[in-house]
Amino acid sequence: MSHSRRLSLEPAIDSITGRFRDLKRHDDDVVNKPDFRELDLGSPVSSLMPRGSASSSSSSAAATPTSSSGSSSGSAASAKPSVMAKRFESHSGEISSPGSGTTPTTTTTRNLKPGHRRSSSTGTPLIFSGSSYFTSATTTSHTSPQGGGSGATSAVSSSPSVLPAGNICPSGRILKTGMSSRTSTRTETLCTGTGNYGHGNVVRSGSGGGGGGGGKAAGNNGDNPEELKRLGNDMYRRGKFSEALSLYDRAISISPENAAYRSNRAAALTALRRLGEAVKECLEAVRLDPSYSRAHQRLASLYLRLGEAENARRHICFPGQCPDQADLQRLQTLEKHLRRCSEARKIGDWNTAIKETDAAIANGADSSPQLVACKAEAFLRLNQIEDSDFCISCVPRLDRHHYQSQLQAKLFGMVAEAYVLCIQAQVDMALGRFENAVVKAERAVMIDQTNPEVTSVLNNVKMVVRARTCGNELFSTGRFSEASVAYGDGLKHDGSNSVLYCNRAACWYKLGLWEKSVEDCNHALKIQPSYIKALLRRAASYGKLGRWEDAVRDYEFLRRELPGDSEVAESLERAKTVLMNRSQESKSLGFNNEVEAVSTLDKFKSSVSLPGVSVFHFKSSSNRQCEEISPFINTLCLRYPLVHFFKVDVEESMVLAKAESIRKVPTFKMYKNGDKVKEMVCPSHQFLEDSIKHFLL
């Protein structure tokens, strides 16, 4: 090599050495360097040639740069410059494994710039040459969950044990060849850093393969948001959504203005069923990039699941995008069911409302709080309180950020969240959870202050709570009549409140009005069939009325519900004993537990003269009304064993019917101790029973 050629190489070599010296000061904490032995570099010109050693033994070695790097072939301390120059020109830049003698399958050949040529050792040199590098890299691209963003690119060496001889490390030192057994076995990776690094650096596994910015090296994944996104996408595809979310969070902390990271985070949140937060992230992605179609599509899908048709339409049909036909079809179906549900609610067709709500949920609105609340409201209006309570307990819980981050969805003219709270308040009130009802109704008004229906619910709740409190205070002081009035005032504002009916029944019982007590207990139990207090109160009232069969039936139900309650067990035994004694007494007095047929005038006259109350049912087997009321007469016969019940078929006993002037059936005549006390034509069940109780008492 001529003297001029040697001088032309010196500035380039000095520049490279200086860059690596800067690297050592700046990034010693980034690159985890393997063990090495420091060699004495004797040449003032090239840092690649140890003093007194040759780079090659023959020109054939120069033509084959993939030969073993464990040792140099021969000794050529006085190698000719022309031979060295020829070896520079024939260098292909391939990376070979030490001692393998084979060339990697993927190679990249770079043209060297003048003044940047270098000596070729038997291993593959990894020396910077401006912005280029001499190496072979494998590039892998990963796609984010939405498929729209490009993944990070990493360059990996062809062998995890690459140890090229004569390379300049980040510290500026040279690794001695043949030391692979004394170095760490961790995988080495080619980085594509910028600034002090340049391209083609060998770093330990676990370091980032992406480029850094701002003059800093991207030495680990925490500095490269694209690499974090790539790892997050991989975790997402493997179903590890929490880990994916954590990686997306780290990427967003580095680059908070990247819309793709926000959209990916929304995908992970959706998979974790945190839909409210997912909506928030999609909205942020759309804010950062209004034309980001994937974020719009994901947001529309979320709104469909939440049952918010108006918001879904806004993002399915936003300007500049062709609507997805599947999403558009789902949207139209949801709108159809919501419209039918609203119409059914207006006319009080609650069964249809339940049907349409179920259809909307089955169509994909499976996470809609307002649709579940609509179904709960329908059950409430049908007096199926237990079903309503179960339904409202299944309302999906969405975080408050969801409602604060979007245009508020509405249902039936109310803000969706306010509507849900109103139904929850009414269910709580029907079940006696008055304090909870007030809290939820007040929250509903705070959310939707201008809606009259929401305001009306709050007023009703407050009036019912006030009436119940007043009634309880009056009852506790023995003022039962005034307490019954207070509970009645509450029922004017909430006619389906089982607690108020039961409390008023207690007042009637204390006042000796047992029929009214039974009636109010029946109202309460119609609303809440397993209401224990109402069952206890009704059983006691039945006992006072002498309806021991009914009392036994209620006590037996309570015994099954409260197997460990001794008072219920005692009441049941007492009722059974009284019922048995009454049955024996009625038999001794000639009473039967079935309706007795009368077909002659003489039999009729003898039956009328019996002591006590006698009821005669004039009927016709061809008359529909007679056939409908006959089973009820059988029930009354069992319910009132001290009353005589008789039936007369007017078609078979026409003489008797004519003698008693029967012109229409069914006709009932009541006698007490031989005297006629009442005659009724086509009476209702309730009127007939009330008349019997009246003359029996």
Side-chain angles (χ1 to χ4, degrees):
M1 182 180 295
S2 65
H3 180 69
S4 61
R5 171 72 68 179
R6 292 168 59 94
L7 290 177
S8 65
L9 289 175
E10 287 180 5
I13 300 299
D14 292 341
S15 174
I16 295 172
T17 305
R19 292 178 67 184
F20 277 103
R21 189 180 299 111
D22 293 340
L23 171 64
K24 181 179 186 303
R25 289 194 300 268
H26 186 69
D27 285 310
D28 274 346
D29 58 334
V30 176
V31 181
N32 197 4
K33 297 181 288 298
D35 297 334
F36 63 90
R37 289 197 316 189
E38 186 174 357
L39 301 181
D40 182 17
L41 306 180
S43 173
V45 176
S46 173
S47 60
L48 299 178
M49 298 293 295
R51 181 181 294 121
S53 66
S55 63
S56 177
S57 61
S58 66
S59 60
S60 61
T64 310
T66 59
S67 60
S68 172
S69 62
S71 62
S72 300
S73 300
S75 174
S78 59
K80 295 180 180 182
S82 60
V83 175
M84 183 178 294
K86 183 177 181 181
R87 294 181 63 178
F88 268 102
E89 294 168 358
S90 64
H91 193 324
S92 65
E94 297 170 349
I95 298 178
S96 63
S97 300
S100 66
T102 59
T103 303
T105 57
T106 305
T107 60
T108 304
T109 303
R110 299 280 185 167
N111 293 326
L112 300 179
K113 296 181 180 180
H116 281 225
R117 296 187 177 183
R118 59 187 181 184
S119 172
S120 174
S121 64
T122 54
T124 304
L126 294 173
I127 299 178
F128 297 95
S129 178
S131 62
S132 302
Y133 60 96
F134 302 94
T135 185
S136 173
T138 300
T139 304
T140 304
S141 177
H142 293 280
T143 306
S144 61
Q146 79 272 20
S150 61
T153 302
S154 62
V156 184
S157 63
S158 61
S159 173
S161 59
V162 171
L163 187 61
N167 292 317
I168 297 178
C169 296
S171 62
R173 296 169 179 171
I174 296 178
L175 297 180
K176 184 176 180 180
T177 61
M179 294 181 60
S180 60
S181 61
R182 302 173 59 182
T183 61
S184 173
T185 59
R186 293 173 60 187
T187 304
E188 294 173 319
T189 305
L190 292 177
C191 289
T192 56
T194 58
N196 291 335
Y197 264 74
H199 292 278
N201 297 290
V202 179
V203 296
R204 289 295 180 89
S205 62
S207 299
K216 293 185 179 181
N220 54 59
N221 294 337
D223 295 333
N224 189 341
E226 280 295 310
E227 176 67 8
L228 290 169
K229 185 188 79 169
R230 184 189 67 79
L231 295 174
N233 295 348
D234 184 56
M235 288 294 177
Y236 184 93
R237 285 189 291 269
R238 292 160 59 186
K240 298 183 177 181
F241 304 118
S242 296
E243 291 84 348
L245 179 63
S246 177
L247 289 163
Y248 294 144
D249 286 340
R250 289 170 59 190
I252 291 173
S253 68
I254 298 170
S255 181
E257 300 299 314
N258 189 299
Y261 301 164
R262 298 282 183 176
S263 182
N264 285 12
R265 186 173 192 271
L269 288 168
T270 301
L272 293 170
R273 298 193 62 83
R274 293 159 60 178
L275 303 189
E277 296 174 73
V279 168
K280 183 181 178 183
E281 288 301 318
C282 282
L283 288 170
E284 181 64 14
V286 170
R287 184 191 68 80
L288 293 170
D289 186 357
S291 62
Y292 191 4
S293 61
R294 188 67 185 91
H296 281 286
Q297 184 181 7
R298 180 163 287 142
L299 193 52
S301 179
L302 286 167
Y303 280 138
L304 287 173
R305 291 188 63 183
L306 294 171
E308 301 180 11
E310 185 178 353
N311 283 326
R313 179 171 288 279
R314 184 176 296 110
H315 293 280
I316 288 176
C317 304
F318 82 97
Q321 180 185 8
C322 181
D324 181 83
Q325 293 304 309
D327 285 345
L328 187 60
Q329 180 63 38
R330 288 174 57 202
L331 171 63
Q332 292 170 348
T333 303
L334 175 62
E335 290 175 333
K336 176 186 68 176
H337 291 308
L338 289 176
R339 182 175 62 256
R340 291 178 178 176
C341 188
S342 178
E343 293 170 355
R345 185 175 184 266
K346 288 179 181 178
I347 63 176
D349 185 358
W350 299 110
N351 288 314
T352 299
I354 292 173
K355 177 183 176 182
E356 294 299 328
T357 300
D358 285 339
I361 293 173
N363 183 59
D366 56 350
S367 300
S368 173
Q370 60 270 27
L371 283 177
V372 179
C374 179
K375 188 174 180 179
E377 181 187 19
F379 281 129
L380 182 66
R381 301 295 178 252
L382 292 170
N383 289 330
Q384 300 178 29
I385 305 300
E386 293 178 352
D387 291 335
S388 180
D389 186 40
F390 174 77
C391 197
I392 205 69
S393 68
C394 298
V395 168
R397 300 289 189 264
L398 296 180
D399 56 288
R400 290 278 299 173
H401 295 296
H402 170 58
Y403 296 102
Q404 294 172 352
S405 304
Q406 60 165 306
L407 295 175
Q408 290 180 315
K410 290 191 174 184
L411 185 67
F412 311 135
M414 290 174 277
V415 174
E417 188 186 10
Y419 171 71
V420 173
L421 288 168
C422 282
I423 303 305
Q424 288 176 331
Q426 293 176 72
V427 172
D428 283 340
M429 190 168 59
L431 293 171
R433 301 191 290 254
F434 294 99
E435 290 75 13
N436 292 345
V438 172
V439 171
K440 290 173 182 175
E442 288 176 344
R443 283 176 55 195
V445 171
M446 291 177 63
I447 294 170
D448 196 352
Q449 299 178 1
T450 60
N451 189 277
E453 189 170 347
V454 175
T455 304
S456 175
V457 169
L458 176 60
N459 292 336
N460 286 343
V461 168
K462 287 183 174 180
M463 293 299 296
V464 170
V465 170
R466 185 180 297 115
R468 179 243 190 182
T469 302
C470 179
N472 289 353
E473 292 174 354
L474 293 169
F475 188 91
S476 63
T477 58
R479 299 158 66 182
F480 305 120
S481 181
E482 296 174 65
S484 67
V485 174
Y487 293 134
D489 290 340
L491 288 168
K492 293 177 182 177
H493 297 281
D494 182 13
S496 61
N497 195 291
S498 59
V499 175
L500 295 181
Y501 276 119
C502 189
N503 287 2
R504 191 170 70 173
C507 297
W508 301 137
Y509 185 89
K510 291 290 186 180
L511 294 169
L513 302 173
W514 300 304
E515 296 89 348
K516 287 189 174 183
S517 178
V518 169
E519 184 179 346
D520 274 355
C521 286
N522 287 337
H523 281 300
L525 291 167
K526 184 179 179 182
I527 297 168
Q528 193 177 348
S530 59
Y531 193 180
I532 299 299
K533 285 186 177 181
L535 283 165
L536 285 168
R537 208 149 279 157
R538 188 174 72 174
S541 300
Y542 279 147
K544 292 293 185 180
L545 291 170
R547 296 169 58 176
W548 293 106
E549 283 192 354
D550 294 328
V552 167
R553 185 177 63 251
D554 281 350
Y555 282 129
E556 285 178 342
F557 180 86
L558 289 166
R559 182 68 171 147
R560 291 191 297 269
E561 295 293 317
L562 306 171
D565 194 308
S566 59
E567 291 186 8
V568 171
E570 292 174 3
S571 299
L572 176 59
E573 291 302 319
R574 185 167 58 252
K576 285 182 175 180
T577 301
V578 174
L579 180 61
M580 186 180 298
N581 294 336
R582 283 289 185 90
S583 178
Q584 293 174 354
E585 180 183 353
S586 63
K587 287 181 180 179
S588 65
L589 295 175
F591 293 95
N592 295 319
N593 290 329
E594 60 182 15
V595 181
E596 185 177 355
V598 174
S599 58
T600 64
L601 189 58
D602 293 337
K603 177 66 173 177
F604 176 77
K605 291 179 179 180
S606 62
S607 300
V608 167
S609 60
L610 290 173
V613 178
S614 299
V615 177
F616 290 86
H617 175 207
F618 292 88
K619 60 184 285 293
S620 172
S621 57
S622 61
N623 185 275
R624 183 179 58 83
Q625 286 182 298
C626 293
E627 293 303 313
E628 289 178 353
I629 203 170
S630 291
F632 181 64
I633 302 302
N634 296 331
T635 301
L636 294 176
C637 183
L638 296 173
R639 185 175 294 173
Y640 301 99
L642 297 181
V643 176
H644 303 280
F645 287 90
F646 301 96
K647 59 183 177 181
V648 179
D649 192 324
V650 296
E651 293 177 350
E652 296 177 359
S653 305
M654 297 182 64
V655 175
L656 178 56
K658 185 176 181 180
E660 291 296 313
S661 302
I662 303 301
R663 295 181 176 84
K664 188 175 182 180
V665 290
T667 295
F668 292 87
K669 290 188 176 184
M670 296 182 63
Y671 294 83
K672 187 171 184 178
N673 298 324
D675 298 327
K676 181 179 175 181
V677 293
K678 196 172 187 68
E679 181 174 345
M680 298 166 282
V681 179
C682 302
S684 65
H685 291 193
Q686 188 64 47
F687 183 71
L688 177 60
E689 184 173 7
D690 289 343
S691 301
I692 293 172
K693 289 189 294 183
H694 175 74
F695 292 107
L696 181 62
L697 298 174

